Amino acid sequence: MKNKGIHHISIISGDPQVNADFYVKTLGLRLVLKTVNQDDPGTYHLFYANGEGAPGSSITFFPWPMAMQAKPGTGTVSAVSFTVPEGSCDYWIDRFAEQDVKFDTPITRFGKKVLPFYDTDGLKLELVEDEKSKNVPAWKGGTIPEIFSIRGFWGSNLHLTDYTATIDILQDVMDFKLTDESDSEILLTTQSDLGHSIIIEKAEDAKSGTNGRGYVHHIAFRAKDENDLKAMRQKVIELGLSPTQLIDRHVFMSVYFQTPGGVLFEIATDGPGYKSVAESEEEMGKKLFLPPWLEPRRDLIEQRLQPVTV
Ligand code: ZN
């Protein structure tokens, strides 16, 4: 179960430069892949991660500057949580106060200190102090001192009215175990250092969330390789759900399926990874990556995209 857990999380954002400034400059993540939305090649798909671009660390965005603000509700991912070393929250509170980042008072949840805050599109994020973060190297090129820096995901919160099927999927397909429960929340975990925790918030209100800026489009879970992906896809079918065929995203292979609770899930392979489409480790995220079928249209695509610099 060391290699199971969250792979990446993809979100709709507003302006791409504002988004890049927040995730790279304010939070200290690395832009590891700059590409286009394969379903809408006139817009970006930006991937931020830890220094290595490791599975379990990449938060990705589809920037649509004209998108309306998302509305919270049931059937959505209600928070995305990053893992930071123990004792880091005070540093981050000072940083957020200085940089006018909206944040809430820290809480303790399932024994962990949690600092909730919000990105430039109103997406709820959290920093969770976790001893496991020390097993993951800090990125030396980032803006944050290594002793406090984000190492990747801690996990994610799902706000669900109908959650039994989602628990079955997380346990039977993604290898999570139900490890703790309170009146309002259920914790499921894997043994991984990153992306190992899903919290299900038991929603009392049945009002659905709506798509827009700050909306989590999907959450992807890890498959070791293509054979593992095929086996996991088979388990999804056995649960009575309808996954897509395997889709080649060039940096990983993917399968998507809608869950009965309302959240779109993906399963993605650990490899080949973001480094595989860069000329070198240092060049990760610098040049716009296009899938081979869009490469002949590079000039036109680059002309239409507003430049994003980090
Ligand atoms: Zn994805």
Side-chain angles (χ1 to χ4, degrees):
M1 291 212 303
K2 264 274 183 195
N3 55 17
K4 292 295 179 180
I6 295 170
H7 182 287
H8 66 269
I9 299 177
S10 295
I11 297 146
I12 295 164
S13 78
D15 183 83
Q17 185 63 59
V18 172
N19 180 256
D21 284 343
F22 184 79
Y23 283 91
V24 175
K25 293 187 182 139
T26 303
L27 296 190
L29 298 180
R30 180 176 185 182
L31 177 65
V32 291
L33 180 66
K34 183 164 64 170
T35 185
V36 292
N37 181 342
Q38 291 188 20
D39 300 320
D40 181 10
T43 63
Y44 280 114
H45 190 183
L46 304 175
F47 292 64
Y48 311 99
N50 65 15
E52 299 183 329
S57 75
S58 50
I59 184 163
T60 94
F61 291 89
F62 301 109
W64 279 318
M66 305 305 283
M68 304 278 282
Q69 186 68 48
K71 294 215 173 65
T74 187
T76 65
V77 176
S78 52
V80 173
S81 310
F82 296 108
T83 182
V84 290
E86 290 174 294
S88 301
C89 279
D90 289 344
Y91 166 84
W92 284 99
I93 287 170
D94 289 347
R95 184 173 180 83
F96 291 159
E98 262 170 35
Q99 303 207 3
D100 284 329
V101 175
K102 189 182 165 208
F103 64 96
D104 297 334
T105 308
I107 56 166
T108 300
R109 187 183 57 204
F110 295 119
K112 297 270 186 277
K113 188 167 181 183
V114 179
L115 172 60
F117 67 108
Y118 301 84
D119 83 354
T120 44
D121 293 302
L123 170 68
K124 187 176 183 188
L125 302 167
E126 297 175 340
L127 296 175
V128 182
E129 292 190 0
D130 183 2
E131 68 282 358
K132 278 185 167 185
S133 64
K134 67 177 185 295
N135 301 335
V136 183
W139 180 35
K140 293 183 175 11
T143 56
I144 307 294
E146 288 177 36
I147 49 167
F148 305 127
S149 69
I150 291 171
R151 303 303 208 268
F153 292 123
W154 181 82
S156 191
N157 295 8
L158 312 184
H159 194 71
L160 304 177
T161 312
D162 170 16
Y163 46 80
T164 44
T166 302
I167 291 174
D168 289 344
I169 296 162
L170 289 168
Q171 290 185 319
D172 297 354
V173 183
M174 314 303 184
D175 285 351
F176 279 77
K177 297 259 179 294
L178 202 160
T179 41
D180 210 345
E181 183 164 6
S182 68
D183 289 343
S184 59
E185 293 173 328
I186 299 165
L187 174 68
L188 293 112
T189 58
T190 70
Q191 300 296 315
S192 173
D193 290 328
L194 294 176
H196 50 67
S197 294
I198 293 284
I199 288 177
I200 292 180
E201 302 169 354
K202 303 172 190 173
E204 285 167 9
D205 185 355
K207 194 159 179 255
S208 297
T210 58
N211 205 329
R213 282 194 296 129
Y215 183 82
V216 176
H217 183 267
H218 65 265
I219 178 163
F221 295 89
R222 293 173 65 181
K224 194 156 54 87
D225 51 30
E226 207 171 311
N227 283 337
D228 191 29
L229 178 63
K230 287 177 184 161
M232 291 170 79
R233 181 178 180 276
Q234 188 55 37
K235 287 182 189 168
V236 174
I237 294 170
E238 283 160 18
L239 287 171
L241 302 169
S242 305
T244 62
Q245 295 298 322
L246 270 63
I247 299 172
D248 186 358
R249 294 301 189 196
H250 303 281
V251 286
F252 41 73
M253 296 291 286
S254 291
V255 161
Y256 300 81
F257 61 100
Q258 191 63 52
T259 64
V263 178
L264 181 63
F265 276 10
E266 175 185 351
I267 309 171
T269 54
D270 279 359
Y274 307 119
K275 273 181 220 168
S276 70
V277 296
E279 278 162 30
S280 66
E281 133 92 50
E282 226 170 63
E283 291 301 306
M284 266 205 303
K286 291 189 180 163
K287 187 186 170 197
L288 181 74
F289 168 73
L290 294 176
W293 58 278
L294 285 174
E295 196 57 58
R297 290 161 58 196
R298 174 176 286 274
D299 285 352
L300 186 66
I301 289 169
E302 284 186 341
Q303 276 168 27
R304 280 194 193 159
L305 290 167
Q306 75 173 84
V308 168
T309 54
V310 295

